[in-house]
Amino acid sequence: MPLLTTRPSPAIKICAGLALVILLGLGSWQVDRLFWKQNLIAERQAQATQPPIAVPTDVAPDPAMAFRAAYAEGHFLNDQEMYLMARTRRGNIGFHLITPLEQEDGRIILVNRGWVPQDYRDPSTRPDSLIDGNVRVTGVLRLPQTRHWVQPENEPLENQWFFVDVDAMAEDSGADLASRYYLELDETEIPGGLPIGGQAKIDLPNNHLEYAITWYSLALSLIVIFILYHRRPQKDDAES
């Protein structure tokens, strides 16, 4: 059966061309994101696996130090706990427990000790988490956070924090801050099981290769459909 080749209208050409450019652009963007995410994960893993250093004090936070393995020594001020709200773990809602750690010189480092289920906000429900005495804790350095546009404002009066504003937290607790970094603890076994450390996101989800393949596949499908539509089989006169 002979093929009937039709000439696409200018409008169809323009629409198909724009769609193709968009699909190829989205695929290429995902490839760029793939390499960016791979590099980011590698950097975080390299930082987190180095020998821990003491939390730097009296210095401006350096983005290059983010997720660097670090430690701090002192005792927890359990009566000054702060709650970083709306944090999930395996689909369960809860919060991150931030406790000031007082060093020997009396100055404070903020410590994100890990995740706690929402029902255990009252310290009396988790007495084993109220550790007394001097401790040495290890984790990774984190930088002060700024509010993302989708996040609520912090509510210090209600002790509800939605992002880690180190300066505001120190002011609210009256702490003499030793460092504007805060320490996010690694996963270590704690009597009673709470809080659960190791919440720092080192290995990030990386699905950009699948996304790139999807966009490029759609672009290829568009090309095939465009060609097939304009090269349709010609009907015989008897059938017309």
Side-chain angles (χ1 to χ4, degrees), residues 47 60-67 143 181:
Q47 289 281 62
D62 180 359
M65 293 290 287
F67 294 93
L143 305 175
Y181 293 103

Side-chain angles (χ1 to χ4, degrees), residues 11-204:
I12 292 178
K13 286 182 179 179
I14 292 173
C15 291
L18 286 175
L20 182 61
V21 169
I22 291 172
L23 292 172
L24 292 175
L26 288 170
S28 299
W29 175 59
Q30 289 298 332
V31 171
D32 289 340
R33 295 280 294 175
L34 170 66
F35 291 125
W36 169 79
K37 185 66 71 67
Q38 288 175 337
N39 290 335
L40 180 62
I41 293 172
E43 289 172 3
R44 290 189 178 185
Q45 289 175 337
Q47 289 281 62
T49 54
Q50 293 188 57
I53 60 172
V55 174
T57 58
D58 298 315
V59 294
D62 180 359
M65 293 290 287
F67 294 93
R68 178 71 165 81
Y71 69 88
E73 296 178 299
H75 65 274
F76 285 120
L77 302 180
N78 294 306
D79 60 340
Q80 297 182 26
E81 288 182 349
M82 289 169 274
Y83 309 119
L84 191 60
M85 306 302 293
R87 297 301 189 268
T88 59
R89 182 176 183 271
R90 298 177 181 175
N92 298 308
I93 190 67
F95 60 91
H96 285 184
L97 179 63
I98 296 183
T99 309
L101 182 78
E102 186 174 40
Q103 302 180 115
E104 186 177 358
D105 62 2
R107 304 180 73 196
I108 298 298
I109 292 173
L110 295 181
V111 177
N112 183 340
R113 298 177 59 195
W115 183 84
V116 178
Q118 191 66 40
D119 292 341
Y120 290 85
R121 175 165 171 166
D122 186 342
S124 65
T125 62
R126 44 178 172 81
D128 289 336
S129 70
L130 307 177
I131 299 174
D132 290 326
N134 287 329
V135 294
R136 173 181 166 128
V137 291
T138 59
V140 294
L141 294 177
R142 299 298 307 274
L143 305 175
Q145 298 175 347
T146 56
R147 177 177 174 269
H148 192 274
W149 68 273
V150 299
Q151 290 177 313
E153 294 284 355
N154 286 329
E155 300 175 2
L157 294 178
E158 302 296 328
N159 198 7
Q160 295 190 149
W161 304 83
F162 297 94
F163 59 97
V164 181
D165 185 337
V166 171
D167 294 328
M169 287 177 161
E171 181 180 353
D172 183 67
S173 63
D176 180 11
L177 208 58
S179 175
R180 294 192 66 247
Y181 293 103
Y182 68 97
L183 187 64
E184 189 156 351
L185 298 192
D186 52 23
E187 188 170 5
T188 54
E189 188 171 344
I190 296 176
L194 296 175
I196 300 173
Q199 302 304 309
K201 295 180 179 179
I202 306 296
D203 294 317
L204 301 171

